[in-house]
Amino acid sequence: MIAPSSTTEESSPTVSVSSGSDRIGGAARALALGAALLVGVNLRPAITSVSALLDQAASSFHLDGAERSLLATLPIIAFGLTAPVGPILARRLGTARALLLAMSTLAAALIARVLADWMLLPGTFVVGAAIMMAATLLPPYLKSHQASGLWIGLSSMSFGVGAALGASLAVPLESILGGTGPALASWVLLTVLAVAALLPVAPRAGAQGGRAPRLGIGPKARVTVGLMTAVFSLQALLYFAVTTWLPLMLASHGADAAEAGWLLAWFSLIGLVPTLVAPVLARRRRILTWFGPGLGLAMAVGFAWLALDHGSDPLVVTLLGVVQNAGFGLAMGLLVSLAADEASAGLLSALAQGVGYAVAGGGSLILGAMRELTGDWTASLLLMAACGVALSACVALAIRRRPVSLVASARPTPELLTE
């Protein structure tokens, strides 16, 4: 169990001895955690749908080669540049209200970016910023509701559900709706559902007020923050390199747009269960000693395999889907488990995800540029394999750390990883 945070922004109802009050409190908590799942589902379709329709979007919105690459990687670049926004807003508004604002902004940006050619790139940046706000807010939101490892796993799994929906439905939606713009904008319907789910939760959430929490990072905490930043950077780089470039990699092997889109969707679908299980395993140190580092090594094998073109594409996509989605779930689980309280979870999330997604955005651009320079994906994939080995080493060190407080006045909670 995650220990209760020292400061929670939700106003918990007074629980009496009656079972009726318990049921009311349990229903409110289930509603709040269910809203987190709907938020998670919205944090990938705006990215994977663009990846599946990248060539069509470039043609429809009159983009040149450089602009096409920028469109593919702009959301991840926005992640890195806007990471502090979520915690700042949470301090002013409360985590739930800030999450509601992030989802509302995402809905508006999904519509605005397809209204005119010139709005596509700036609108996509705002889409990425809104997604980043929500992504950094989810760990403290879950911490504030004392989410178990299972709920954290479900929340992480919801990201994969959204990624699969975006990848698999992008091409059919373009055909049904009669254009790339309507297909990209249609995901606003899913975002509206998340907004509706958060509306009953947000009014009960109070702002913490005052200034943002003051960082108090001691020597031991610095090591943990550094390791978690490295873990998130490497896994995000590898994950978004695949979701950004896999359709083009598969096209170079002869796959058509529909087949590449379905394989990208399969990459997310096959990873749903591993994403769910990984945060649960993140609480058990004995299992983590081999499971955590093994994920990075398996990624390295998959990328080397794809670089050398051994075996069938569906088989290697299956391997990468399992281990990369599990790696994301593990990283999300560690962000919650290695934070001593809600405020620290928000700060650790912002630091690790902010730097991590900046690395992912820049790294994805570099991998695409390497492909342009060399004429194929071999060098890029071998570099990704090396990053998998580095990820394995960083995870092996991170899982040995204890929870840390990043707030000067907060007290650390007991060890959260169990034997």
Side-chain angles (χ1 to χ4, degrees):
M1 282 283 297
I2 294 179
S5 59
S6 57
T7 57
T8 59
E9 47 134 337
E10 306 295 338
S11 299
S12 302
T14 302
V15 179
S16 66
V17 294
S18 69
S19 60
S21 296
D22 290 340
R23 285 194 295 270
I24 292 172
R29 181 169 175 270
L31 176 64
L33 292 173
L37 302 187
L38 280 172
V39 170
V41 172
N42 276 278
L43 302 188
R44 292 294 178 266
I47 299 172
T48 57
S49 60
V50 169
S51 297
L53 295 173
L54 192 56
D55 286 336
Q56 296 92 321
S59 175
S60 297
F61 291 91
H62 307 100
L63 305 180
D64 59 27
E67 289 172 331
R68 186 185 73 163
S69 295
L70 184 59
L71 174 64
T73 56
L74 194 56
I76 304 100
I77 295 172
F79 289 175
L81 295 177
T82 60
V85 175
I88 292 172
L89 288 176
R91 188 65 183 176
R92 301 294 180 184
L93 305 176
T95 303
R97 290 175 182 171
L99 205 52
L100 176 60
L101 177 60
M103 286 294 97
S104 301
T105 302
L106 177 59
L110 285 171
I111 295 295
R113 70 172 175 172
V114 300
L115 294 179
D117 290 359
W118 68 269
M119 295 182 69
L120 181 64
L121 293 179
T124 297
F125 182 88
V126 177
V127 164
I131 291 173
M132 186 66 222
M133 285 169 57
T136 55
L137 290 168
L138 272 178
Y141 180 85
L142 293 169
K143 190 84 171 179
S144 72
H145 291 285
Q146 303 177 31
S148 65
L150 176 61
W151 273 107
I152 296 169
L154 288 171
S155 178
S156 300
M157 187 175 72
S158 69
F159 286 48
V161 172
L165 289 174
S168 62
L169 297 180
V171 174
L173 282 173
E174 184 196 32
S175 177
I176 294 170
L177 299 177
T180 304
L184 295 179
S186 64
W187 297 104
V188 71
L189 299 176
L190 189 60
T191 310
V192 169
L193 289 178
V195 171
L198 285 168
L199 282 174
V201 180
R204 298 195 307 273
Q208 297 173 26
R211 293 175 298 177
R214 184 165 61 90
L215 282 173
I217 306 179
K220 292 183 179 180
R222 289 191 198 106
V223 175
T224 301
V225 171
L227 286 172
M228 277 310 305
T229 300
V231 167
F232 213 94
S233 296
L234 290 167
Q235 73 82 25
L237 168 60
L238 296 177
Y239 180 89
F240 283 106
V242 170
T243 57
T244 299
W245 300 119
L246 183 62
L248 295 185
M249 292 177 182
L250 296 175
S252 70
H253 290 186
D256 59 26
E259 182 183 359
W262 279 108
L263 282 173
L264 180 58
W266 176 244
F267 168 85
S268 299
L269 286 172
I270 193 63
L272 292 182
V273 173
T275 305
L276 172 65
V277 172
V280 178
L281 296 181
R283 308 299 183 87
R284 291 164 173 80
R285 188 189 301 277
R286 195 170 290 173
I287 297 176
L288 273 180
T289 56
W290 59 267
F291 173 76
L295 292 176
L297 294 177
M299 291 178 205
V301 170
F303 292 126
W305 187 0
L306 191 58
L308 299 174
D309 201 21
H310 290 167
S312 64
D313 289 331
L315 194 57
V316 71
V317 170
T318 299
L319 170 64
L320 291 174
V322 169
V323 296
Q324 286 198 264
N325 283 283
F328 172 73
L330 176 64
M332 291 295 288
L334 288 175
L335 282 178
V336 177
S337 295
L338 292 178
D341 48 73
E342 180 188 348
S344 296
L347 291 169
L348 181 60
S349 175
L351 289 168
Q353 293 196 61
V355 175
Y357 287 131
V359 170
S364 293
L365 275 175
I366 291 172
L367 293 171
M370 289 175 62
R371 189 262 176 236
E372 294 296 328
L373 289 173
T374 61
D376 60 37
W377 290 100
T378 302
S380 298
L381 286 164
L382 291 177
L383 178 58
M384 292 165 71
C387 289
V389 175
L391 174 61
S392 177
C394 291
V395 170
L397 295 173
I399 61 179
R400 299 177 182 275
R401 308 300 300 176
R402 291 177 176 271
V404 296
S405 172
L406 305 185
V407 182
S409 60
R411 292 183 178 179
T413 56
E415 174 64 78
L416 299 182
L417 300 180
T418 59
E419 291 297 331

